[in-house]
Amino acid sequence: MLDGKRVLLIVGGGIAAYKSLDLIRLVRKAGGAVTPVLTRAAMEFITPLSASALAGQKAYTDLFDLTDEAEMGHIELSRSADMLVVAPATADLAAKMAGGHADDLASTLLMATDTPVLIAPAMNMRMWLHPANQRNMALLEDDGVARVGPSEGEMACGEYGPGRMAEPDEIVDAIVAQLGTGALSGRHVVVTSGPTHEPIDPVRYIANRSSGAQGSAIAAALSGLGANVTFVTGPASVPPPPGVAVVRVETASQMLDAVKAALPADAAVFAAAVADWHVEAESGTKIKKGVANTDLKLSLTENPDILATVSRMRKNRPGLVVGFAAETDDVIGNARAKLKRKKCDWIVANDVSPATGIMGGDENAVTVIDRAGEEAWPRASKEHVARRLAQRIADALS
Ligand code: CTP
């Protein structure tokens, strides 16, 4: 995935620095090389020795280390990398980057580089939300600095909120998405995910039990193989993966518009559990109970079928269109009929009867059907199914 790619990893001084050691391990496992650089504050949390032992290379710490300058100047150190990754990016380090400071090795390397930079911020939630930090994040974004995280969760300081550094595997996914030499690098894939919400009135809607887990896992796996992923998601309970372009929608018709706007693409995977109907006359005001509505009847109209619409496109039809079939009975028969009716290239069939626990659960058992035949995959985690599907897509596009 990162074969031969060189990452210069700048470790800032925060408690999340301990995770950067795992990040070094994972980048190397993906085939990349890591040169660690520790700020003075980072050395309060981890040692240069542990970073260099895991990286298998010298860890740099000081701007004025004359031996280093003789062996490899700081300009060369940053230019020889394919990417600079700052993890954890503390509020202070991000502020230095935004302000263009160069008063230590880390900030000087960041100023001296013309290679892509990715930051993984980590800080207390108040610091994250502080206008000064938000201003700095906006400046960095304008400068073309990519960002992964932070996520929301419990912090080392005991508070709960945004500011936790993204997990090392998410950071690796974000690196791969930018640098990946994966089988799908340079390819654009559109993925739909999650349920849709079809409004009844301003406070009520029709929905379904989809969590978005399978769609998120597919987007992550495709991005892990280096694809540029546009992730069109309804209101799902599982968050989108890092490193993908997220387009949030509510209704089926908004989802169709977003998919059309995302094309052209090399492939499209329609994993969303799109509502089949919307309320014909959505009420602009909250429908009251009252005598008139003891027996409320809603009139429903069919939604556009996004998969069928895209599969039938003359212009801009992706080279490979993959649909899902959520069935409760005669799974294969119904799925095969869907493949024909919707004119997609593959259908991933799954049994969503409540007894399987698949809808909203962590596992999936699917059969992939195409014109040539069918392949039944054993029950496995949704991540595993996603990786196998992403690899099959990569093979088909190669
Ligand atoms: N799909 C879509 N747009 C819709 C309905 C479904 O894009 N309005 C897509 C889904 O994302 C999935 C496939 O079509 O890839 C099949 O969805 P499924 O819910 O299994 O089938 P339906 O077409 O809704 O048919 P039915 O509910 O009658 O089984």
Side-chain angles (χ1 to χ4, degrees):
M1 286 191 300
L2 287 173
D3 299 319
K5 296 290 180 187
R6 286 157 305 177
V7 171
L8 186 76
L9 174 65
I10 295 175
V11 184
I15 183 64
Y18 78 93
K19 289 192 196 171
S20 63
L21 296 175
D22 204 28
L23 178 59
I24 296 174
R25 192 181 62 76
L26 292 179
V27 171
R28 292 194 70 195
K29 201 170 147 204
V34 184
T35 306
V37 173
L38 274 59
T39 65
R40 187 175 292 276
M43 288 191 283
E44 302 287 337
F45 296 92
I46 62 169
T47 67
L49 184 62
S50 48
S52 76
L54 283 162
Q57 319 198 16
K58 179 181 168 74
Y60 294 80
T61 56
D62 197 351
L63 183 56
F64 298 109
D65 182 331
L66 291 179
T67 327
D68 294 345
E69 282 299 313
E71 280 172 5
M72 181 186 262
H74 60 266
I75 302 284
E76 208 193 321
L77 190 57
S78 74
R79 297 255 173 96
S80 62
D82 294 300
M83 186 178 217
L84 266 64
V85 177
V86 188
T90 58
D92 183 58
L93 196 45
K96 275 184 167 177
M97 288 174 73
H101 293 229
D103 62 354
D104 62 2
L105 180 58
S107 54
T108 305
L109 290 169
L110 285 157
M111 274 294 278
T113 194
D114 54 0
T115 47
V117 179
L118 171 76
I119 60 169
M123 63 195 74
N124 165 273
M125 62 173 279
R126 297 270 164 246
M127 291 171 87
W128 171 254
L129 295 171
H130 195 283
N133 180 63
Q134 290 298 315
R135 207 161 49 232
N136 289 335
M137 290 298 150
L139 284 174
L140 291 173
E141 194 177 328
D142 286 348
D143 287 349
V145 171
R147 194 178 85 208
V148 51
S151 59
E152 227 171 80
E154 194 165 337
M155 314 229 166
C157 56
E159 283 183 315
Y160 188 95
R164 247 167 76 120
M165 189 170 88
E167 292 303 321
D169 56 344
E170 292 172 326
I171 301 174
V172 172
D173 284 347
I175 297 171
V176 170
Q178 297 239 349
L179 275 191
T181 54
L184 286 173
S185 67
R187 302 290 198 163
H188 177 216
V189 186
V190 176
V191 178
T192 69
S193 181
T196 63
H197 285 182
E198 308 296 333
I200 298 171
D201 67 14
V203 296
R204 305 181 179 96
Y205 54 81
I206 298 175
N208 59 63
R209 294 184 202 281
S210 165
S211 64
Q214 187 63 83
S216 267
I218 290 168
L222 291 163
S223 163
L225 290 182
N228 291 321
V229 177
T230 304
F231 186 65
V232 181
T233 178
S237 52
V238 171
V244 303
V246 182
V247 185
R248 292 178 199 275
V249 297
E250 291 261 331
T251 65
S253 84
Q254 289 168 358
M255 189 172 270
L256 175 61
D257 290 345
V259 168
K260 281 184 181 163
L263 297 175
D266 297 287
V269 182
F270 294 92
V274 185
D276 289 319
W277 302 276
H278 67 270
V279 177
E280 195 176 84
E282 177 193 344
S283 171
T285 53
K286 186 181 172 207
I287 301 171
K288 303 302 265 180
K289 277 192 296 226
V291 185
N293 282 331
T294 47
D295 212 7
L296 179 68
K297 289 197 174 60
L298 293 173
S299 174
L300 303 178
T301 309
E302 205 170 323
N303 274 329
D305 191 309
I306 304 164
L307 172 64
T309 306
V310 172
S311 295
R312 287 190 166 85
M313 279 180 168
R314 296 225 175 133
K315 221 179 109 206
N316 269 353
R317 184 198 194 273
L320 179 67
V321 178
V322 182
F324 272 70
E327 308 294 344
T328 53
D329 57 284
D330 187 14
V331 177
I332 304 300
N334 277 325
R336 197 162 267 296
K338 236 169 232 180
L339 175 80
K340 260 199 181 157
R341 196 169 66 244
K342 302 207 183 197
K343 301 214 173 325
C344 52
D345 302 301
W346 304 349
I347 278 273
V348 181
N350 55 3
D351 185 345
V352 292
S353 325
T356 64
I358 282 173
M359 203 155 194
D362 297 331
E363 292 187 334
N364 208 350
V366 305
T367 302
V368 181
I369 304 173
D370 58 20
R371 274 167 218 116
E374 52 197 59
E375 242 175 68
W377 295 355
R379 189 172 173 124
S381 70
K382 289 186 173 171
E383 284 74 23
H384 183 88
V385 171
R387 280 195 292 274
R388 194 162 169 187
L389 185 65
Q391 191 54 54
R392 197 180 201 269
I393 291 171
D395 293 344
L397 291 183
S398 68

